[in-house]
Structures are given as C-alpha cells and as structure tokens.
C-alpha cells in the first residue's frame, strides 16, 4: 500500500482505520508512526495495542519523524489544530494529509500545511465495527495514486462516497451526529416500554430489534418510508394515535432542526 504512514492522533476512529490495514498486512507495524498528545495515551498504546507500531509523544524530538512520511492521517480534535506546525524542511514530494477533523475545510488545511496536498474526510463511529459511512472531498491536484491510497484507508471498514466539499457538513450531520440522535430515540422508546411495565433491558432489546427489522423490511422490499408507515397504520388504531402525539409535539420538526444545527456547527470550524 505504502512504505510509511504517519498518524497524528490515535483515538477510536484512527485505530479503526489503521488496525484493519495492519491486520491484513497492507502495511507493516514498523512503518506506522503515531504521535499522541498525552503520556497516558502513549503508555496505553505501547502496553495494550496489539500491533507494535512506533508511537511518540507530541513535541518530543522523536516525533518529528512523522514529517518524513509521505502520507499522513490527521485525526486530532479540531480545537488542537493550532497546536500543530508543519516542519520547515519536507524532503518528500507530493506529500498528502488525509484529515478526518470535523468541519475543518480543505482551504484551512492547505493554509496550515502548505507543503501538502489535502483531502478532507468525514467518517462515523460505526467504522469501528466495519459498518462505517465515509465521505471524501478531494483538494487540488490530488493524483490518482493519492486517491487510491485514501480510499484504501477506508474501504475495508466503510461504504465510501465522493462529494464536493459543500456536501460534507450535511453528510457529517446525518452520519456522524446521527448515531447519537438514534441512540436518544432508542433510549426514549425503551423508556416508553418501561413506563408500560417492561423491564428496561427487555424494552431496549425490543426497540433495537424492531429498528433493525424495520430497516431490513424497507430495504429488502424497496419500500419508501411512507409506504411502510401506511402498512402499519390503520384507521383509529394504535399507530395513528402514536403518530398523532409525535406530530403534536413537533418531533419531526425537531429532528430536522437537529440535523440543520449540527451541519451549521460543522461550518463554524472552517
């Protein structure tokens, strides 16, 4: 795949991206150079991570080796971007930074890393179990080899979409913020079951199985959501009674606004 890759930040998402590459021997552990922000993270990776990668504390003399790697995965928090400075002397040509920082634009990345070509990526937490959704937007003058490298980072663990950058904020809102919204819905519905007398653990299991079954039904029968709703809603029945309450409480509008708000928040990081 490549000789060396630097990983700047090594949280759950970065680990989910890099680990399958190591598991499948697409890259060797000695060719992964990771920089982390705290001594605690450093020791955790050294003692617990299953692959013997190179890991350094940020700011250390040894950590400067990352700038010798042609390919870099940037996976810190957006607020930490100002703490990173590109090395003054970069010996490689066609250096690439693949950024998974929420909301940080390609233009800002290019200003921060003038000796690199930049790719902006949005991915989500299900990537940690190989069920992720990943949106990619290419910076200027990205070569075909660099595109293939970027896709290989994510293709084993997620479904990949290529977008112009204008779409990435709403993609982030739907796919990255969405799991928290779905979790809230699961929690609320299971609390409804709890209110009706079901034990919490059973109620939550029923809700999750119901959601999975509903999704499979829609996809396998190629139904629209309106068609599915009509299948289970009868005149004067329990379902229309439930839906009426949701409409009264403006739940539909609240969900729409939650996605718009997440998208707008992402734009603020630019």
């Amino acid at each position: 795949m490549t000789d060396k890759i630097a990983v700047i930040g090594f949280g759950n998402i970065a680990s989910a991206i890099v680990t399958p590459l190591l598991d499948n021997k697409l890259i060797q552990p000695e060719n992964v150079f990771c920089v982390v922000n705290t001594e605690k993270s450093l020791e955790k990776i050294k003692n617990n991570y299953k692959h013997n990668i190179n890991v350094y504390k940020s700011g250390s003399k040894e950590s400067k080796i990352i700038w010798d790697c042609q390919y870099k995965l940037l996976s810190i928090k957006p607020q930490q971007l100002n703490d990173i400075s590109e090395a003054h002397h970069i010996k490689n040509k066609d250096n690439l930074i693949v950024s998974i920082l929420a909301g940080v634009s390609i233009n800002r990345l290019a200003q921060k890393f003038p000796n690199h070509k930049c790719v902006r990526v949005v991915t989500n937490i299900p990537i940690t179990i190989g069920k992720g959704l990943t949106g990619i937007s290419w910076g200027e003058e990205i070569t075909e080899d660099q595109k293939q490298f970027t896709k290989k980072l994510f293709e084993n663990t997620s479904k990949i979409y290529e977008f112009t950058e204008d779409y990435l904020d709403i993609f982030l809102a739907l796919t990255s913020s969405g799991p928290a919204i779905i979790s809230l819905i699961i929690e609320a519905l299971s609390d409804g079951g709890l209110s009706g007398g079901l034990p919490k653990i059973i109620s939550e299991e029923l809700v999750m199985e119901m959601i999975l079954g509903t999704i499979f039904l829609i996809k396998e029968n190629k139904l629209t959501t309106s068609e599915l709703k009509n299948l289970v809603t009868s005149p004067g029945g329990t379902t229309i009674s439930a839906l009426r309450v949701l409409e009264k409480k403006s739940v539909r509008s609240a969900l729409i606004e939650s996605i718009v708000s997440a998208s707008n928040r992402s734009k603020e990081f630019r």
Side-chain angles (χ1 to χ4, degrees), residues 232-248:
V232 297
T233 306
S234 56
T238 57
T239 303
I240 192 61
S241 180
L243 292 175
R244 184 165 170 262
V245 171
L246 295 177
E247 293 295 348
K248 271 188 174 182

Side-chain angles (χ1 to χ4, degrees), residues 72-85:
K72 301 167 188 72
L73 175 66
L74 184 64
S75 57
I76 57 175
K77 295 177 181 177
Q79 298 89 334
Q80 296 173 322
L81 184 59
N82 290 334
D83 298 331
I84 297 177
S85 296

Side-chain angles (χ1 to χ4, degrees), residues 3 28 77 152 209:
D3 289 335
Q28 298 304 311
K77 295 177 181 177
K152 280 188 177 296
E209 291 297 330

